[in-house]
Amino acid sequence: DTGVSQDPRHKITKRGQNVTFRCDPISEHNRLYWYRQTLGQGPEFLTYFQNEAQLEKSRLLSDRFSAERPKGSFSTLEIQRTEQGDSAMYLCASSLEADTIYFGEGSWLTVV
Amino acid sequence: QQPVQSPQAVILREGEDAVINCSSSKALYSVHWYRQKHGEAPVFLMILLKGGEQKGHDKISASFNEKKQQSSLYLTASQLSYSGTYFCGTDEIGANNLFFGTGTRLTVIP
């Protein structure tokens, strides 16, 4: 069990550029989540996949954000035309059904 | 619906006890507790299920009052390693994700 892994761990980008984060969940986990966390706040839910199906999206997920999990394994989160307000840590998590949710180390995004 | 945690921050001397509370206005299926160190991801501590028993390991335990939608995390004989921000994540009945509170920052000093 290698845990949830995320890549890259840190990304600095200029405003207006696109960025993509990758998440590899724990291998047998069928559920995958994306959360966003800013300083001093708890993680905020963005979206959730059951296998390859994206079943829920938060209103926080504007149309500049898109997430995929094409084969029900790894997932990508893309942010288009980044804004300074997108600066945050993007956390991926996975679980087996509705069991314990395990978080990855997170991907820090800084938009300058 | 974001749960409410209290207190927002607490400072303890090594060996002292603390209680962190979490409450929700929604009916809950479970409550999850996590600890997060600065700059790191949240680390799972324990899960309290509806109808389940009080949980605990080492000197950290938790309870869940499903009628009041409240959970408490108990840290006894605190150690320096307990420092961090504690989050409760609530699993609302009918939802498929966790809602997290704003956290309780715990600092243990020698």
Side-chain angles (χ1 to χ4, degrees), chain A residues 7 19-24 32 34 47 49 54 66-70 73-79 92:
Chain A
D7 182 69
V19 295
T20 299
F21 299 111
R22 177 183 168 119
C23 171
D24 288 89
L32 187 146
W34 285 99
T47 189
F49 291 85
Q54 188 174 20
S66 62
E68 294 182 343
R69 194 183 183 197
S73 56
F74 74 92
S75 174
T76 57
L77 176 70
E78 182 184 17
I79 309 173
C92 178

Side-chain angles (χ1 to χ4, degrees), chain A residues 33 35 37 42 48 56 101 104, chain B residues 34 36 41 44 87 96-98:
Chain A
Y33 310 81
Y35 283 82
Q37 187 177 24
Y48 140 72
E56 196 165 329
I101 293 177
Chain B
Y34 291 81
Q36 185 175 33
F44 172 76
F87 292 100
N96 290 301
N97 63 83
L98 297 181

Side-chain angles (χ1 to χ4, degrees), chain A residues 9 31 33 35 37 39-45 48 55-56 89 91 98-106 108, chain B residues 2 29-30 32 34 36 38-44 47 87 91 94-103 105:
Chain A
R9 295 291 316 282
R31 292 191 178 190
Y33 310 81
Y35 283 82
Q37 187 177 24
L39 284 174
Q41 299 297 316
E44 295 175 295
F45 170 74
Y48 140 72
L55 296 187
E56 196 165 329
M89 179 163 68
L91 289 161
D99 205 348
T100 303
I101 293 177
Y102 293 96
F103 284 91
E105 293 293 315
W108 285 96
Chain B
Q2 186 178 46
Y29 176 72
S30 64
H32 304 225
Y34 291 81
Q36 185 175 33
H38 184 68
E40 300 178 7
V43 173
F44 172 76
I47 180 173
F87 292 100
D91 183 2
N96 290 301
N97 63 83
L98 297 181
F99 294 95
F100 287 90
T102 53
R105 178 177 285 186

Side-chain angles (χ1 to χ4, degrees), chain A residues 1-15:
Chain A
D1 178 4
T2 58
V4 179
S5 62
Q6 294 187 242
D7 182 69
R9 295 291 316 282
H10 302 273
K11 179 74 176 178
I12 300 173
T13 191
K14 291 184 179 180
R15 191 171 48 187

Side-chain angles (χ1 to χ4, degrees), chain B residues 11-65:
Chain B
I11 299 175
L12 298 175
R13 290 202 177 275
E14 235 178 326
E16 291 183 336
D17 303 339
V19 179
I20 300 171
N21 300 303
C22 172
S23 65
S24 174
S25 60
K26 299 288 189 179
L28 301 178
Y29 176 72
S30 64
V31 178
H32 304 225
W33 285 97
Y34 291 81
R35 177 171 59 214
Q36 185 175 33
K37 304 269 186 181
H38 184 68
E40 300 178 7
V43 173
F44 172 76
L45 293 175
M46 64 188 74
I47 180 173
L48 288 301
L49 299 174
K50 183 179 175 182
E53 299 175 350
Q54 181 164 334
K55 287 280 191 73
H57 64 83
D58 199 9
K59 295 184 174 68
I60 300 176
S61 62
S63 63
F64 176 29
N65 184 328

